[in-house]
């Protein structure tokens, strides 16, 4: 048996698309502070504020490259940044997966954007590499790629015509555009010779490749059915028109309506291939109506799943927890496989046809299966008797004995755990809604049998596993949660904010990230605990507390979020000093109730229990003032500090309860 | 029932969904790989390894049976997911390892569950695999045979390594399938339940996975 413990080490370098990075960001919150101070001379004091950007992040690497490049390769870009105030440098705060990643000119070209006009009163920009996009609501939204080489951007003002081609109305921006969250704008950093430039911090690197892949998938989707117009295509158009006129009451009715229509066509003798084209066409045309309502229950289930997955990531879920043992040197290879397969899942939202979505699931399976088969083959040829090979074979089959028949292939014993791991590592948005979309709109005879149907079942099973599994069953320890909470307490969440209002914005944005993130994690962890109660000592107490913490974060999260946007609007320069005046009302004693009644299902008994807990635990609950608040309007700036302090206090209580 | 009858030139082809159950160490997939590799045709229908395979066998001149074989993860922690796989299955092969007594107990548990929860017409076969390892035998043929008779199962001792009884197993299943009934019900729309996820079932079963614990 081999340990899997090198994974943790690996994880720190590989966090660029994992949700819980906020912890790491907080942990390294001082890094840019240190770096900028060091680099700038003492008279440039404006740069000393805190942005959670690790020194090994893409952004810092790019900035260092621009600062230090000696051979003049990047001089033109540096000049551009220093001389033209319509050029802005975007710095991603995420970290590359390989520590030795090289930042090339191409990368920098992707991240220098030029505004449409000097006054910046348009939000449209184009990168030196030709990515067109716009800034909207704290996001950079990629719109497309300019088809020609635009070397002129370097030397002269971009011609208006460059932008004219995408002067679009904002409503035409669909949810599938590649988006990049902006964490802070108007950040001043020294570039060379103490000259300051304005940079913008974004969450992850902008990539021309990603944008062009998105364009490709979109082009595939829009494929018209009119290439061979026939009776079917006019019927399909008629169906769409009718559908829009009288919308089905609910999504089940929508599913029946579309499937009935396709069944009728089939009964008229339309070939399967043609039916698939029509299915795809209608899915594309009516996508927004057919996909789950973003405010509905299903969207909430999506979010719940995402937060559970975020919690699993925080707890460093590994393949070992899922029943697959790997050697340290195999882990990296497996991570690559998982990443590649996960990128397929992340594309689901950009693919609109039910059949095409289903194909994406099959492709995810194929990537995993082929990679593992190759992997095994190579190992086999090396040395069949080597312990390494035996161990790999062992992992491949989870066979208890070393002898194996030569008829090995990737089976469900390895495939399912790797699939689950892939879902956890990629945490695709709206995953459940996408699976349901396939179930609802893929022609039923295609779903009742066949390989694709098996793949869909695997995905549904994986989701079901992730929704219902518990920490103890997986061998994950709650201790890790506590240590993270301690980290949170130990780290200053927000550095004292300086006079400049822009900086304040940056800081508040960070805080909202923190709250967002920890909300998600608490939510996820809370859900785990719900199922763990029978196994944990003092379980009642813990769960009760977690439930209450969840309530607080539930309540606080939207308030703080909206409150922040209000704060931004206010031109006040009040410094929200967050010297945490924690009134650390430590849990004086936790009364553990020994008369534990074993409830068959905790979910049913949950409400009763929570009430019981209130009597058995002698600690102060969350500040009732905030729980009673109906809207953000009631929240004042000062409350943010109090909320934060109470939040920390509650975190400490959870910790105490767990150790008691 | 998801079985389909297709009018082929020389006769009828029936398609059946077969689900594979059993502990992870018993060689479920080796058994199927042996079955599929010994019949060369149509092997390439699967692109996802041994997890999903399709195989056609001829019962007689007029009848062909196509098995669609769904593998399931055998680890205890995934046990609660099995209903999603055996839903709409026409037949099941429950595999144990003749050198491991405990694997027969697991197999019995699967049989119980299938008889309780799966389609009432499901055909179940019990396969005692690794019968080439006679020296290490821990489960007597007689014991298993008696159990199988009592529970109304097909029973074979197989070896994926030597191919003993592998074809026989699948042929026997094909013969046991109620082909005549299926021919009539073949063209029904199989949509019921597609829209409801297995969530309810899983919630009930979540206790199982908690008690099962983690083997590693």
């Amino acid at each position: 048996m081999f340990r899997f413990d090198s994974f943790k080490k690996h994880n720190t370098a590989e966090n660029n698309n994992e949700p819980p990075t906020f912890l790491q960001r907080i942990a390294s919150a001082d890094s840019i502070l240190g770096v900028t101070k060091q680099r700038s001379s003492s008279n440039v004091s404006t740069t000393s504020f805190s942005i959670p950007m690790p020194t090994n992040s893409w952004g810092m690497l790019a900035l260092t490259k621009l600062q230090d490049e000696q051979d003049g390769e990047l001089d033109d870009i540096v000049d551009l940044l220093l001389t033209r105030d319509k050029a802005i440098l975007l710095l991603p705060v995420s970290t590359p997966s390989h520590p030795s990643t090289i930042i090339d000119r191409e990368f920098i070209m992707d991240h220098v954007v030029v505004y449409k006009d000097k006054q910046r009163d348009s939000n449209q920009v184009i990168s030196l590499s030709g990515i067109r996009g716009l800034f909207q609501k704290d996001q950079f939204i990629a719109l497309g790629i300019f088809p020609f080489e635009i070397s002129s951007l370097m030397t002269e003002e971009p011609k208006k015509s460059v932008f004219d081609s995408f002067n679009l109305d904002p409503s035409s921006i669909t949810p599938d555009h590649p988006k990049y969250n902006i964490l802070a704008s108007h950040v001043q950093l020294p570039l060379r010779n103490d000259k300051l430039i304005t940079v913008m911090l974004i969450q992850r690197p902008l990539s021309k490749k990603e944008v062009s892949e998105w364009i490709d998938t979109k082009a595939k989707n829009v494929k018209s059915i009119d290439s061979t117009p026939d009776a079917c295509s006019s019927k399909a158009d008629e169906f769409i028109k009718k559908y829009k006129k009288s919308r089905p009451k609910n999504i089940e009715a929508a599913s029946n309506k579309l499937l009935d229509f396709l069944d009728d066509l089939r009964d008229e003798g339309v070939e399967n291939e043609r039916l698939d084209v029509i299915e795809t066409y209608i899915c594309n045309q009516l996508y927004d109506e057919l996909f789950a309502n973003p405010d509905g229950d299903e969207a909430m289930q999506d979010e719940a799943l995402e937060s559970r997955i975020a919690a699993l990531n925080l707890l460093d879920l590994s393949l070992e927890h899922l029943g697959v043992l790997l050697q340290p040197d195999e882990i990296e290879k497996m991570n690559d496989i998982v990443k590649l397969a996960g990128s397929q899942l992340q594309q689901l939202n950009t693919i609109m046809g039910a059949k095409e979505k289903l194909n994406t699931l099959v492709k995810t399976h194929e990537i995993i299966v082929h990679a593992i088969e190759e992997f095994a083959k190579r190992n086999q040829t090396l040395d069949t008797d080597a312990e390494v090979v035996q161990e790999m074979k062992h992992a491949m089959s989870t066979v208890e004995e070393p002898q194996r028949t030569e008829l090995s292939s990737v089976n469900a014993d390895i495939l399912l755990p790797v699939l689950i791991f892939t879902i956890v590592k990629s945490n695709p948005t709206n995953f459940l809604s996408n699976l349901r979309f396939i179930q609802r709109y893929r022609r039923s005879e295609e779903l009742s049998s066949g390989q694709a149907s098996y793949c869909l079942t695997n995905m549904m099973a994986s989701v079901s596993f992730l929704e219902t599994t518990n920490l103890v069953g997986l061998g994950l320890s709650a201790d890790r949660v506590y240590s993270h909470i301690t980290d949170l307490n130990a780290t200053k969440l927000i550095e004292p904010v300086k006079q400049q209002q822009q900086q304040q914005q940056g800081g508040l944005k960070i805080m909202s990230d923190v709250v967002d993130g920890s909300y998600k994690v608490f939510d996820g962890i809370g859900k785990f605990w719900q199922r763990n109660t029978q196994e944990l000592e003092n379980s009642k107490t813990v769960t009760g507390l977690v439930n209450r913490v969840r309530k607080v974060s539930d309540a606080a999260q939207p308030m703080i979020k909206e409150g922040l946007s209000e704060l931004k609007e206010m031109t006040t320069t009040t410094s929200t000093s967050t010297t945490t005046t924690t009134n650390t009302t430590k849990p004086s004693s936790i009364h553990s109730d020994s008369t534990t009644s074993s409830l068959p299902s905790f979910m049913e008994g949950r409400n009763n229990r929570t009430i019981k807990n209130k009597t058995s635990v002698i600690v102060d609950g969350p500040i009732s003032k905030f729980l009673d608040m109906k809207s953000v309007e009631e929240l004042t700036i000062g409350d943010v500090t109090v909320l934060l302090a109470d939040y920390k206090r509650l975190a400490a209580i959870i910790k105490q309860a767990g150790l008691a | 029932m998801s079985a389909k009858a297709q009018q082929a030139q020389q006769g009828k082809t029936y398609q059946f969904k077969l689900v594979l159950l059993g502990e992870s160490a018993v060689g479920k997939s080796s058994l199927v790989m042996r079955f599929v590799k010994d019949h060369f045709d149509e092997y390439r229908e699967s692109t996802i390894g041994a997890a999903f395979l399709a195989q056609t066998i001829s019962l007689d001149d007029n009848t062909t049976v196509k098995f669609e074989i769904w593998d399931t993860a055998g680890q205890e922690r995934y046990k609660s997911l099995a209903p999603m796989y055996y839903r709409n299955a026409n037949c099941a092969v429950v595999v144990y390892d003749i050198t491991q007594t405990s694997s027969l107990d697991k197999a019995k548990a699967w049989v119980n569950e299938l008889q309780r929860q799966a389609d009432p017409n499901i055909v179940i076969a019990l396969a005692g695999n690794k019968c080439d390892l006679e020296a290490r035998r821990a489960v007597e043929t007689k014991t298993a045979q008696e159990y199988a008779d009592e529970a109304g199962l097909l029973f074979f001792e197989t070896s994926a390594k030597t191919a003993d009884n592998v074809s026989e197993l699948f042929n026997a299943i094909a013969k046991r399938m109620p082909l005549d009934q299926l021919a009539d019900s073949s063209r029904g729309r199989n949509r019921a339940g597609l829209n409801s996820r297995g969530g309810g079932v899983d919630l009930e079963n979540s206790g199982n996975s908690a008690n099962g614990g983690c083997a590693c």
Side-chain angles (χ1 to χ4, degrees):
Chain A
M1 297 271 164
F2 279 81
R3 304 272 97 217
F4 205 175
D5 47 5
S6 70
F7 195 67
K8 282 173 207 156
K9 212 171 22 190
H10 200 81
N11 224 11
T12 47
E14 213 205 33
N15 52 17
N16 44 350
N17 45 18
E18 287 169 41
T21 47
F22 75 97
L23 279 174
Q24 279 136 344
R25 278 196 272 137
I26 298 161
S28 55
D30 294 317
S31 54
I32 202 176
L33 181 69
V35 171
T36 47
K37 264 186 178 161
Q38 195 185 0
R39 288 189 177 276
S40 58
S41 56
S42 53
N43 57 351
V44 193
S45 56
T46 46
T47 56
S48 53
F49 56 90
S50 165
I51 297 154
M53 185 156 79
T55 38
N56 61 340
S57 65
W58 287 106
M60 279 313 287
L61 292 174
L63 186 66
T64 317
K65 174 102 175 166
L66 280 167
Q67 284 166 336
D68 298 345
E69 186 67 38
Q70 296 304 324
D71 57 15
E73 194 213 336
L74 296 170
D75 278 0
D76 50 345
I77 298 178
V78 171
D79 281 350
L80 179 82
L81 285 167
L82 288 175
T83 54
R84 292 240 301 270
D85 28 293
K86 41 195 295 191
I88 276 199
L89 180 63
L90 306 178
L91 295 179
V93 298
S94 66
T95 47
S97 45
H98 294 286
S100 57
T101 304
I102 295 164
I103 303 283
D104 52 11
R105 188 180 164 88
E106 210 178 306
F107 181 90
I108 295 194
M109 297 268 279
D110 280 342
H111 289 83
V112 175
V113 297
V114 183
Y115 275 91
K116 183 179 174 185
D117 40 55
K118 270 205 189 80
Q119 291 73 37
R120 290 189 189 169
D121 45 34
S122 157
N123 55 5
Q124 294 182 11
V125 291
I126 186 161
S127 78
L128 294 182
S129 61
I131 304 170
R132 302 181 308 189
L134 54 82
F135 293 118
Q136 195 181 60
K137 286 184 197 157
D138 289 346
Q139 279 184 326
F140 174 76
I141 299 168
L143 299 173
I145 290 176
F146 195 73
F148 312 107
E149 183 82 16
I150 30 172
S151 51
S152 61
L153 274 180
M154 288 301 241
T155 48
E156 52 189 84
E157 304 298 321
K159 295 193 179 73
K160 281 273 189 294
S161 60
V162 170
F163 292 97
D164 282 348
S165 54
F166 66 107
N167 222 343
L168 41 73
D169 119 59
S171 64
S172 71
I173 297 172
T174 49
D176 57 302
H177 280 261
K179 287 180 183 143
Y180 303 85
N181 288 337
I182 299 168
L183 303 179
S185 54
H186 307 290
V187 177
Q188 304 272 314
L189 285 177
L191 186 60
R192 285 190 194 173
N193 309 324
D194 289 342
K195 279 189 187 152
L196 292 178
I197 56 159
T198 307
V199 306
M200 206 178 259
L201 300 188
I202 56 175
Q203 206 166 24
R204 63 196 174 96
L206 200 62
S207 135
K208 196 170 172 179
K209 197 167 148 253
E210 186 189 339
V211 179
S212 66
E213 275 171 6
W214 166 73
I215 293 169
D216 288 348
T217 21
K218 205 173 167 89
K220 260 184 254 157
N221 279 328
V222 188
K223 196 171 54 187
S224 162
I225 68 165
D226 290 333
S227 53
T228 49
D230 59 9
C232 286
S233 42
S234 57
K235 272 184 191 155
D237 283 330
E238 203 179 309
F239 173 83
I240 292 166
K241 217 192 268 171
K242 263 196 203 154
Y243 185 101
K244 283 185 174 165
K245 221 178 263 170
S246 66
R247 290 182 166 81
K249 275 194 213 81
N250 55 42
I251 206 136
E252 310 307 331
S255 159
N256 283 328
K257 207 167 182 172
L258 175 55
L259 294 182
D260 284 345
F261 173 71
L262 291 169
D263 278 348
D264 289 347
L265 287 181
R266 187 195 57 192
D267 292 346
E268 288 165 24
V270 178
E271 293 289 313
N272 277 349
E273 270 177 37
R274 188 73 186 148
L275 287 174
D276 284 347
V277 173
I278 290 165
E279 179 194 289
T280 304
Y281 177 70
I282 296 176
C283 284
N284 273 281
Q285 294 294 314
L286 294 174
Y287 189 74
D288 290 340
E289 321 219 5
L290 298 179
F291 200 75
N293 178 357
D295 302 320
D297 285 352
E298 300 198 349
M300 277 167 68
Q301 284 181 28
D302 280 341
E303 273 177 37
L305 178 66
E306 279 163 42
S307 62
R308 278 183 76 85
I309 291 176
L312 283 171
N313 273 312
L314 183 72
L315 296 169
D316 269 350
L317 179 85
S318 69
L319 271 172
E320 193 183 14
H321 296 122
L322 297 170
V324 176
L325 292 160
L326 294 175
Q327 284 188 270
D329 62 306
E330 291 159 352
I331 289 166
E332 199 162 328
K333 171 82 183 167
M334 185 58 90
N335 282 335
D336 288 345
I337 297 171
V338 162
K339 198 178 274 180
L340 190 66
S343 68
Q344 287 289 324
L345 296 182
Q346 282 165 339
Q347 282 174 27
L348 276 174
N349 283 321
T350 66
I351 296 166
M352 294 178 183
K355 184 190 174 200
E356 288 73 14
K357 279 185 197 280
L358 184 55
N359 284 346
T360 306
L361 301 186
V362 177
K363 222 187 279 172
T364 310
H365 278 72
E366 286 173 352
I367 289 172
I368 293 171
V369 167
H370 291 163
I372 297 177
E373 274 176 353
E374 286 301 306
F375 195 15
K377 233 183 269 166
R378 206 168 342 127
N379 278 0
Q380 227 157 24
T381 53
L382 281 176
D383 179 2
T384 357
D385 296 324
E387 201 191 358
V388 182
V389 182
Q390 292 302 341
E391 283 300 329
M392 183 56 206
K393 282 183 173 178
H394 190 94
M396 295 274 301
S397 63
T398 48
V399 167
E400 233 62 277
E401 54 183 57
Q403 301 134 295
R404 278 174 42 76
T405 58
E406 67 281 12
L407 296 168
S408 69
S409 177
V410 177
N411 59 38
D413 289 343
I414 176 134
L415 182 58
L416 187 69
V418 176
L419 278 174
I420 294 173
F421 192 59
T422 302
I423 296 171
V424 169
K425 284 290 147 186
S426 59
N427 201 354
T429 46
N430 303 330
F431 189 53
L432 195 47
S433 290
N434 273 299
L435 297 183
R436 284 180 173 152
F437 186 92
I438 298 168
Q439 285 187 313
R440 286 183 182 131
Y441 306 115
R442 182 72 185 122
R443 288 188 298 121
S444 42
E445 61 264 35
E446 299 292 327
L447 281 187
S448 58
S449 65
Q451 178 176 286
S453 148
Y454 178 74
C455 292
L456 180 62
T457 303
N458 268 338
M459 291 297 183
M460 293 307 289
S462 302
V463 167
S464 167
F465 180 79
L466 289 168
E467 281 179 335
T468 57
T469 193
N470 64 65
L471 289 171
V472 177
L474 289 176
L476 286 168
S477 162
D479 293 348
R480 280 196 58 86
V481 187
Y482 300 136
S483 72
H484 275 298
I485 291 168
T486 324
D487 287 352
L488 263 172
N489 281 329
T491 322
K492 277 180 221 154
L493 291 186
I494 307 175
E495 293 288 324
V497 182
K498 290 274 150 65
Q499 293 88 340
Q500 289 187 359
Q501 197 219 340
Q502 320 164 330
Q503 293 172 2
Q504 198 176 14
Q505 277 181 11
L508 288 168
K509 175 75 197 173
I510 294 157
M511 177 168 164
S512 97
D513 277 3
V514 169
V515 175
D516 272 12
S518 42
Y519 158 74
K520 273 199 164 185
V521 171
F522 274 124
D523 201 34
I525 292 168
K527 280 173 193 149
F528 281 121
W529 262 312
Q530 283 168 24
R531 295 172 207 280
N532 275 347
T533 39
Q534 278 94 340
E535 286 137 276
L536 280 174
E537 272 192 2
N538 289 324
S539 53
K540 287 174 153 191
T541 318
V542 174
T543 328
L545 287 164
V546 171
N547 277 335
R548 280 198 266 164
V549 171
R550 280 178 56 208
K551 261 192 228 153
V552 175
S553 31
D554 274 340
Q557 195 232 5
M559 281 197 263
I560 293 187
K561 228 180 183 174
E562 289 168 43
L564 284 170
S565 57
E566 277 190 5
L567 284 172
K568 281 182 193 168
E569 280 160 29
M570 284 188 240
T571 44
T572 169
T573 50
T574 330
S575 78
T576 44
S577 148
T578 46
T579 338
T580 12
T581 51
T582 326
N583 49 342
T584 340
T585 332
K586 278 194 183 146
S588 38
S589 76
I590 289 162
H591 182 74
S592 59
D593 193 341
S594 54
T595 56
T596 333
S597 59
S598 66
L599 289 176
S601 163
F602 180 65
M603 290 303 280
E604 271 90 24
R606 187 176 141 193
N607 292 334
N608 304 337
R609 281 200 185 195
T610 319
I611 295 162
K612 251 201 211 163
N613 285 338
K614 278 184 181 158
T615 55
S616 61
V617 184
I618 315 167
V619 280
D620 290 340
I623 302 171
S624 58
K625 177 174 96 173
F626 293 117
L627 293 177
D628 295 337
M629 280 187 179
K630 296 248 157 34
S631 81
V632 200
E633 268 82 349
E634 295 169 63
L635 201 69
T636 64
I637 295 179
D639 286 341
V640 177
T641 321
V642 183
L643 261 178
L644 179 63
D646 197 53
Y647 179 78
K648 286 185 174 182
R649 182 181 65 86
L650 290 165
I653 294 173
I654 298 174
K655 192 183 160 203
Q656 283 281 332
L659 297 173
Chain B
M1 287 297 221
S2 65
K4 290 175 190 169
Q6 292 153 357
Q7 206 71 43
Q9 277 172 342
Q10 67 273 68
K12 278 182 172 167
T13 299
Y14 298 89
Q15 182 175 312
F16 297 115
K17 172 175 166 183
L18 186 152
V19 66
L20 263 185
L21 296 163
E23 229 181 356
S24 53
V26 298
K28 286 188 302 273
S29 50
S30 303
L31 193 66
V32 198
M33 282 296 281
R34 169 59 76 188
F35 168 56
V36 172
K37 278 205 168 168
D38 286 352
H39 299 73
F40 290 102
D41 56 312
E42 284 203 68
Y43 171 53
R44 267 294 124 196
E45 199 169 307
S46 160
T47 57
I48 55 166
F52 176 93
L53 293 167
Q55 181 59 57
T56 308
I57 54 174
S58 304
L59 269 191
D60 55 53
D61 289 347
N62 292 319
T63 319
T64 315
V65 168
K66 180 179 173 188
F67 285 116
E68 209 183 88
I69 303 165
W70 290 40
D71 193 11
T72 61
Q75 294 97 323
E76 183 67 31
R77 75 200 77 191
Y78 302 122
K79 197 172 183 295
S80 65
L81 307 176
M84 302 174 88
Y85 292 87
Y86 60 67
R87 199 170 68 91
N88 292 327
N90 309 96
C91 39
V93 175
V94 182
V95 188
Y96 72 95
D97 174 353
I98 66 153
T99 68
Q100 301 279 338
T101 322
S102 61
S103 70
L104 179 62
D105 297 335
K106 285 270 166 57
K108 286 179 180 172
W110 282 121
V111 171
N112 278 337
E113 185 177 328
L114 286 171
Q115 289 179 336
R116 223 174 42 240
Q117 292 187 35
D119 186 300
N121 295 320
I122 193 167
V123 172
I124 306 173
L126 181 68
N129 197 28
K130 304 192 189 174
C131 71
D132 49 295
L133 300 174
E134 190 57 49
R136 289 166 53 194
R137 177 186 284 278
V139 178
E140 289 309 318
T141 312
K142 195 166 157 264
T143 321
Q145 181 73 59
E146 277 170 11
Y147 164 70
D149 291 344
E150 195 184 306
L153 318 172
L154 290 164
F155 173 66
F156 287 91
E157 279 192 349
T158 58
S159 167
K161 201 168 181 179
T162 64
D164 261 15
N165 269 342
V166 174
S167 295
E168 287 80 354
L169 168 72
F170 288 92
N171 272 313
I173 297 171
K175 284 187 186 133
R176 177 76 73 97
M177 300 305 300
L179 300 181
D180 299 335
Q181 287 172 34
L182 293 167
D184 303 327
S185 62
S186 62
R187 208 180 165 281
R189 274 205 314 220
N190 178 39
R191 202 187 295 164
L194 268 182
N195 285 327
S196 62
R197 259 174 3 99
V201 179
D202 299 316
L203 277 177
E204 286 163 29
N205 285 345
S206 62
N208 289 351
S209 55
N211 299 333
C214 166
C216 69

